Amino acid sequence: MSSRPTPPSGTPTPPPGAPTRARARIRAAFAAAGVTGWLHARDVDTGAELAVDADTPVSTSSVHKLCLVVTLHRLAAEGRIDLAERIEVNPHDRTSGPTGLSAMADPVTISLRDLALLAITVSDNAAADALWARVGTPAINQAMADLGLTHTVAVHRVGELFATIAEDTGGAGPAALADPAVVARLRALDPHHTNRATARDMTRLLAAVWRDEACPPPYGDQVRRLLALQVWPHRLASGFPFDDVRVSGKTGSLPTLRHEVGVVEYPDGGRYAVAVFTRSASTAVNLPAADAAIGQTARLAVDALRVGSGAGVEG
């Protein structure tokens, strides 16, 4: 456990006043970006926290790949699965997507370990679903229950989630997702009908990974390595533009939803798990302000924790 950290060079001093003001600034940042936001930040070592509507269940989208990969490594640690096991993933039964195996044309033989790499680092839907088929939904839910994450539930694979979108749009294709009335009826966005979690559950999961409680060494190290290799810098990492601050995370995106959960590590030893879930009023595919709000609000929360103002705070 580190001693109480001090801000690194370049970190502004948060305004005095405390948790209420920090929460107000976070809510204002969400509103300015045109999104509804749910946030939880947790000091990994002290347990101090800051919450903004952190117990509301939210559709997790690709954030649930983190639950999948943690489960995989727990099973490996128990000797129930071999990370080096190789499987063939064929084009005709791959889940669609823009990255990784989803975008490839030919059959691929790959290890479970590398499927996890692709599922986390580039959010590869095909890799995630191939891994999901091997691990199984019951195992994912059991692992989350064992960790005490009572609001985190896996309902279906990514491909099955996409199938509900196709059904709910009547097969009208991506253009239909620009219609707010169509988006409003998507089961994929309703946490009662799809993979779900709360922001508080996700920081609890991340803290457990960083404390080697979710997976023992060396498996916890492997999960942390994958999260550190994620390639997207436009959300959580955008709030921490310092060479000496490390951000590891997992994004999630669906129409109107933009999320990221991750851990911010400072050179003085400070470690902070942060989960930011957002839903935009606009159905636009590109909404940079919403992406930036994730980094901005995460920074506000972490800054509050680093000066002690967030200890024991509830949203």
Side-chain angles (χ1 to χ4, degrees), residues 29 39 68 113 153 203 280 284:
L39 177 148
L68 165 66
R113 190 192 331 266
V153 178
T203 66
S280 64

Side-chain angles (χ1 to χ4, degrees), residues 9-79:
S9 174
T11 298
T13 301
T20 298
R21 185 161 183 179
R23 289 200 307 273
R25 294 182 71 193
I26 290 169
R27 291 184 190 279
F30 283 141
V35 303
T36 299
W38 303 267
L39 177 148
H40 193 257
R42 182 189 306 270
D43 187 316
V44 170
D45 298 300
T46 69
E49 59 184 357
L50 190 147
V52 176
D53 299 327
D55 296 312
T56 302
V58 176
S59 169
T60 43
S61 183
S62 286
V63 167
H64 230 93
K65 292 169 184 169
L66 170 61
C67 304
L68 165 66
V69 169
V70 168
T71 302
L72 171 73
H73 286 80
R74 285 171 66 88
L75 294 174
E78 295 167 0

Side-chain angles (χ1 to χ4, degrees), residues 57-59 156 183-196 254 257 279:
V58 176
S59 169
H156 42 211
V183 170
R185 65 171 182 257
L186 296 182
R187 284 170 288 167
L189 307 184
D190 184 345
H192 295 95
H193 297 287
T194 190
N195 304 332
R196 58 185 176 271
L254 279 174
L257 300 186
R279 182 166 184 174

Side-chain angles (χ1 to χ4, degrees), residues 142-175:
Q142 186 61 58
M144 297 304 105
D146 291 345
L147 290 167
L149 309 181
T150 57
H151 301 289
T152 301
V153 178
V155 175
H156 42 211
R157 303 178 202 170
V158 180
E160 293 165 340
L161 182 151
F162 286 172
T164 70
I165 294 177
E167 292 172 5
D168 293 343
T169 59

Side-chain angles (χ1 to χ4, degrees), residues 8 19 26 53 67 72 75 80 94 101 106 122 124 126 165 168 179 190 223 239 255-256 260 288:
I26 290 169
D53 299 327
C67 304
L72 171 73
L75 294 174
R80 298 166 59 189
R94 288 177 188 161
L101 302 182
D106 298 315
V122 296
D124 182 345
I165 294 177
D168 293 343
D179 183 344
D190 184 345
V223 176
T256 69
E260 186 159 0

Side-chain angles (χ1 to χ4, degrees), residues 191-282:
H192 295 95
H193 297 287
T194 190
N195 304 332
R196 58 185 176 271
T198 64
R200 190 188 302 274
D201 262 11
M202 288 297 96
T203 66
R204 187 173 180 176
L205 175 60
L206 289 162
V209 170
W210 255 253
R211 293 196 301 256
D212 284 329
E213 296 169 356
C215 312
Y219 300 97
D221 296 330
Q222 294 179 32
V223 176
R224 294 192 291 271
R225 171 180 172 269
L226 298 182
L227 291 167
L229 291 174
Q230 184 190 225
V231 301
W232 319 125
H234 59 304
R235 290 184 180 167
L236 188 59
S238 69
F240 305 89
F242 308 111
D243 290 343
D244 56 356
V245 177
R246 181 176 185 176
V247 179
S248 307
K250 180 70 198 81
T251 58
S253 305
L254 279 174
T256 69
L257 300 186
R258 294 166 181 82
H259 307 326
E260 186 159 0
V261 304
V263 171
V264 182
E265 297 176 274
Y266 285 76
D268 59 15
R271 310 186 295 178
Y272 307 90
V274 188
V276 187
F277 293 155
T278 71
R279 182 166 184 174
S280 64
S282 170

Side-chain angles (χ1 to χ4, degrees), residues 93-182:
D93 56 9
R94 288 177 188 161
T95 301
S96 62
T99 61
L101 302 182
S102 291
M104 295 181 184
D106 298 315
V108 172
T109 300
I110 187 170
S111 69
L112 300 183
R113 190 192 331 266
D114 284 341
L115 285 174
L117 173 82
L118 292 173
I120 294 295
T121 60
V122 296
S123 204
D124 182 345
N125 295 330
D129 274 2
L131 198 57
W132 200 306
R134 180 66 180 83
V135 170
T137 301
I140 299 170
N141 285 329
Q142 186 61 58
M144 297 304 105
D146 291 345
L147 290 167
L149 309 181
T150 57
H151 301 289
T152 301
V153 178
V155 175
H156 42 211
R157 303 178 202 170
V158 180
E160 293 165 340
L161 182 151
F162 286 172
T164 70
I165 294 177
E167 292 172 5
D168 293 343
T169 59
L177 299 176
D179 183 344
V182 172

